[in-house]
Amino acid sequence: MLSRMLKFFGLTKKGLLKIILGCAIMAFAVVNVHKQSGVTEGGVLGMMLFLNKIFGFDQSITSVILDVSCYVLGFSIMGFDFVKKAFVATISFATFAKLFNIMGPVLPSMYDVPLLASIVGGICIGVGCGLVVSEGGAAGGDDALAMTISTKSGLKISLAYLFSDITVLALSLLYIPVDRIMFSLLTTVISSFLIGQFEVELPNSEIKMANQAVSKA
């Protein structure tokens, strides 16, 4: 049964474990670091926190809705193999987010030490996301969204990522003071740097071309 599932999703046992571990690390960081400290991320994670803070939406539900929406937009670019692996990551993250929300925070609040929160959060998100993308999947819909923006606008993929992150951080000003947004920018830079240290498995040639644009930017 497991072998058939792995074959369908194009994963090895090690690959599946890396995706699950990566999602667990990110969900832990969102609940224990970002949510408590007010230091957020850009992209889908940041939007998820924004919707939770402003409207009280359940993170485990909004993460699935946002990711699926982005995957639908980027399906023609990402390809079906990418979507299958991204599906595994999306369900894994939603499950761990729900679990950690039920458990409640186990780390002391870092609200009064935002610099520490931005560093710890950035490291956790960067490592967690890196584990997932190294298997050719996506920890969230950020990749699909950025690819779509790049395709539709002609922007380099690196600028598309930057645009989506800045947009979400700008919305976050509704519940995060300006000085804390600076720490959010820091955690985004840290996580992006760490993700770039992982060897990413690209699903098709179109994404390889997009990745080349990232390296040239």
Side-chain angles (χ1 to χ4, degrees):
M1 184 69 174
L2 178 60
S3 60
R4 289 182 180 179
M5 184 187 74
L6 291 173
K7 183 178 181 180
F8 174 78
F9 287 106
L11 292 167
T12 62
K13 290 182 180 179
K14 181 180 178 181
L16 178 62
L17 288 175
K18 285 173 68 176
I19 287 178
I20 292 174
L21 176 60
C23 290
I25 293 173
M26 287 188 293
F28 181 85
V30 169
V31 174
N32 286 272
V33 181
H34 293 301
K35 190 174 178 180
Q36 289 198 94
S37 65
V39 174
T40 185
E41 281 270 342
V44 169
L45 281 175
M47 180 59 72
M48 180 184 65
L49 289 170
F50 168 77
L51 292 174
N52 176 260
K53 288 289 186 179
I54 300 300
F55 302 106
F57 292 166
D58 190 320
Q59 294 166 253
S60 63
I61 296 175
T62 55
S63 66
V64 174
I65 293 174
L66 290 171
D67 283 331
V68 169
S69 298
C70 291
Y71 297 147
V72 169
L73 287 173
F75 173 75
S76 61
I77 297 176
M78 295 294 183
F80 191 53
D81 288 340
F82 177 87
V83 172
K84 287 190 294 185
K85 293 179 180 180
F87 173 79
V88 175
T90 299
I91 297 301
S92 297
F93 181 84
T95 300
F96 282 112
K98 186 68 174 181
L99 175 63
F100 291 135
N101 271 311
I102 292 174
M103 291 173 56
V106 297
L107 295 181
S109 174
M110 300 182 193
Y111 186 84
D112 294 325
V113 280
L115 178 59
L116 177 61
S118 64
I119 294 173
V120 173
I123 291 174
C124 289
I125 297 299
V127 172
C129 185
L131 286 170
V132 177
V133 298
S134 68
E135 289 302 315
D142 306 68
D143 295 325
L145 179 60
M147 297 279 180
T148 302
I149 293 173
S150 178
T151 300
K152 296 296 184 181
S153 65
L155 288 172
K156 290 184 178 180
I157 192 67
S158 57
L159 294 178
Y161 273 108
L162 182 61
F163 173 78
S164 62
D165 284 342
I166 289 179
T167 299
V168 172
L169 290 178
L171 288 173
S172 300
L173 284 170
L174 291 175
Y175 72 96
I176 300 178
V178 176
D179 58 339
R180 289 195 173 261
I181 287 294
M182 301 307 296
F183 291 109
S184 295
L185 286 172
L186 174 60
T187 199
T188 299
V189 169
I190 292 174
S191 62
S192 298
F193 172 78
L194 289 175
I195 292 170
Q197 305 311 301
F198 286 80
E199 183 176 350
V200 180
E201 167 129 1
L202 300 172
N204 57 45
S205 59
E206 290 182 62
I207 298 179
K208 288 179 181 179
M209 291 173 63
N211 190 65
Q212 290 174 355
V214 174
S215 62
K216 293 178 181 179

